[in-house]
Amino acid sequence: MSSLARRRATDYTVKVISVAFAAFALLLLAWILWTLVVRGLPAIGPHVFTRITLPPGAGGGLLNAIVGSLIQIGIALVIGTPIGLMCGTFLAEHGKTTPVGNAVRFVNDVLLSAPSILIGLFVYQLLVMPFGGFSGWAGAAALAVIIIPVVVRTTEDMLNLVPIGLREAAFALGAPQWKVVTLITWRAARAGIVTGILLAIARAAGETAPLLFTSLGNNGWSLDMNAPMASLPIAIYQYAASPFEDWVALAWAGALLITVGVLTLNILSRLVLAKMK
Amino acid sequence: MDATLTGNQAASAMAVARKPTGRLSDPIFVGVLWASGIFVLILLGLIIAMLFEGGLPALREFGIQFLWSTTWNPVTEKFGAGVMVFGTIFSAVIAVIIALPLSFGIAFFLTEIAPGPLRRPIGVAIQLLAAIPSIIYGMWGFFVIVPLMAAYVQPPLIDLLGPLPVIGALFQGPPLGAGMLTAGLIMAIMILPFITAMFVEVLESVPPMIKESAYGVGATTYEVYRNVSVPYGRTAMVGAVMLGLGRALGETMAVTFVIGNATRMSASLFAPGSTIASTIANEFPEAGPGSLKLQSLLELGFILFVISFIVLALSRLLVRSKLKG
């Protein structure tokens, strides 16, 4: 075989292998989704949304877990979004090349990938131990720590896409900086910033580890933020490992709900981003 | 009306023009921006301080041997991090070893082979693997992959490779399904999208000119990829792999489901083990406030933080240096 033929053969083989790898990755995604649909869909019924978690065999649902998750994510957003937005704005408008800006950007990147279970431990030490117990507040705080770096990152990226000329035009008209940022730059980057928030919601919705030692989970109906609070991921975690068939079925139903929600948010935000660029 | 302004009107117009509307509001606004930036710095500092302070009593009790001692005995209250540190690094390295060739192949596919209109949808679909929550991977691994491993993958490997000298040590023990290899496999799927996305980003930043030069002298697509594109982005690609490693080190829920949660050390890929994160998740409910066990778990958390901080910081340095320069 000539050297050229051998090189062509290698090229061809590698191409075939990489196509196979890509197909394999897509297959994995399909496999996971298929498993969720096959096991989760039959378990979904009105009871999942109308009844709270009950002992095995009592026909319970996930209502308290869903509501608990929504409350904790909602409060985490209220805490985390303004801080993330402001910090992202700081990086884009004031911290491009300054040492403080670089330090904040570095720390934010670390927080973005830091093990989420450590965030749970941290909030346990900060809010659970000193204030005498697991609480919805602690869960929301832990999720806020998850949300902040996501919002910071996307906000900065999106603000960097806004043309400098737009800012200069506003400054030339004598607008003070806060007006330039809030009325011009934020507005120009609005879709992108919202995308970041959607991504942050998606991230927080699936997080289990930070809630284990903060809001703990609750099998009763409770809206008290000072008491342990149920959440969907924790309920799934408890139920999936249980020996009761109806609990495992509920865990699959919950898993399907979370995954559909998270993937929808992700696809939505990617569509918005694609439009912007 | 008059075409000219009266003196009075002109004066007031000038006053409007001169008066800086942001005299008070601007410092406040800028102050808030700075405060939020500093807040993120403080947040990281607090996390480190809280974990360090929480684990300090355990470190005092067991001394520096805590870091490598392989005892983890809740009954006698003797704790050491050795088994978990080993498990954390072992499983994460397995994950990277599995994910790396896949990422190289998929990045090659996405940048050089896939037809234009297919690139984005396929790229996005692979990115969706990263969006699936960790606990879903845990359930899928536990209910689908663990039985498959126990029935079809592990028995032939044990029969085939177990008797061999040296590498046989990796393939010992009963085929339980759950264990180091399964944990590494699941984590490989989870970190694959991160590594691939950064590979693609780096490869797309390779100047077309140098690739075209290589094509011009007759190189094949694969040769250009291997000898031009990959060497060009090597630093950042190493950074991407480090990011994957960093993510795998701290992975909790997925690992907890499939690693078997044994606090014994074993070199076998099939032996159940535990990582720092899975131990914290598993044993925390049995650790009372103020107990030595809780303090040991917090110290484990601190160790994990230090390890992942170093890996993530290194990853970021490598990635940024290349993409910026």
Side-chain angles (χ1 to χ4, degrees), chain A:
Chain A
M1 206 153 70
S2 75
S3 136
L4 182 62
R6 198 169 51 234
R7 283 170 50 212
R8 283 217 175 117
T10 314
D11 187 52
Y12 187 74
T13 317
V14 173
K15 278 179 178 164
V16 169
I17 291 174
S18 49
V19 172
F21 280 179
F24 177 64
L26 295 179
L27 194 76
L28 283 173
L29 179 67
W31 189 2
I32 295 171
L33 295 180
W34 175 246
T35 310
L36 285 168
V37 168
V38 166
R39 304 205 183 199
L41 210 52
I44 288 190
H47 65 283
V48 174
F49 305 100
T50 55
R51 313 188 68 170
I52 66 164
T53 50
L54 293 172
L62 294 167
L63 178 64
N64 53 337
I66 295 171
V67 172
S69 265
L70 290 178
I71 293 176
Q72 288 172 71
I73 294 170
I75 294 175
L77 276 179
V78 170
I79 304 170
T81 314
I83 298 174
L85 181 64
M86 285 308 202
C87 183
T89 311
F90 166 74
L91 288 177
E93 309 288 331
H94 282 267
K96 272 228 160 72
T97 51
T98 61
V100 178
N102 287 335
V104 171
R105 199 170 292 114
F106 169 74
V107 164
N108 193 66
D109 279 1
V110 171
L111 284 178
L112 198 60
S113 299
S116 60
I117 191 157
L118 298 184
I119 307 225
L121 274 189
F122 158 66
V123 175
Y124 175 84
Q125 284 283 90
L126 189 75
L127 294 177
V128 176
M129 282 270 265
F131 296 101
F134 302 101
S135 67
W137 288 119
L143 292 184
V145 179
I146 302 280
I147 283 176
I148 289 171
V150 182
V151 177
V152 172
R153 175 51 102 51
T154 41
T155 303
E156 192 202 352
D157 287 351
M158 291 304 129
L159 292 181
N160 282 338
L161 291 179
V162 177
I164 300 283
L166 222 53
R167 296 183 178 96
E168 284 172 348
F171 278 123
L173 290 173
Q177 182 162 26
W178 70 270
K179 271 195 173 168
V180 176
V181 169
T182 53
L183 298 178
I184 310 291
T185 357
W186 279 1
R187 197 172 282 187
R190 192 168 44 195
I193 294 173
V194 171
T195 305
I197 297 171
L198 291 184
L199 285 174
I201 297 175
R203 175 84 199 276
E207 282 291 350
T208 315
L211 296 176
L212 283 173
F213 331 127
T214 52
S215 60
L216 190 71
N218 190 334
N219 282 325
W221 174 255
S222 166
L223 296 178
D224 182 1
M225 288 298 288
N226 291 312
M229 188 172 253
S231 59
L232 205 41
I234 298 280
I236 294 174
Y237 179 49
Q238 275 177 356
Y239 280 15
S242 81
F244 312 110
E245 242 172 65
D246 58 332
W247 274 16
V248 174
L250 264 183
W252 283 108
L256 178 63
L257 288 179
I258 285 198
T259 311
V260 168
V262 166
L263 292 189
T264 310
L265 282 172
N266 262 279
I267 294 171
L268 265 182
S269 49
R270 272 167 213 282
L271 287 179
V272 176
L273 280 185
K275 240 185 204 165
M276 284 190 63
K277 284 172 183 167

Side-chain angles (χ1 to χ4, degrees), chain B residues 30-105:
Chain B
V30 173
V32 170
L33 289 186
W34 273 82
S36 328
I38 304 293
F39 175 83
V40 170
L41 293 181
I42 293 177
L43 194 60
L44 184 81
L46 261 183
I47 294 176
I48 298 173
M50 283 286 172
L51 293 176
F52 179 74
E53 191 221 336
L56 203 55
L59 202 58
R60 283 219 187 89
E61 173 75 23
F62 302 114
I64 194 75
Q65 296 107 290
F66 182 85
L67 295 180
W68 57 83
S69 158
T70 56
T71 324
W72 185 270
N73 192 336
V75 181
T76 56
E77 294 227 300
K78 291 268 179 292
F79 300 108
V83 177
M84 294 85 189
V85 172
F86 168 77
T88 303
I89 295 170
F90 193 30
S91 60
V93 168
I94 297 173
V96 169
I97 290 175
I98 298 173
L100 192 56
L102 287 170
S103 296
F104 265 117

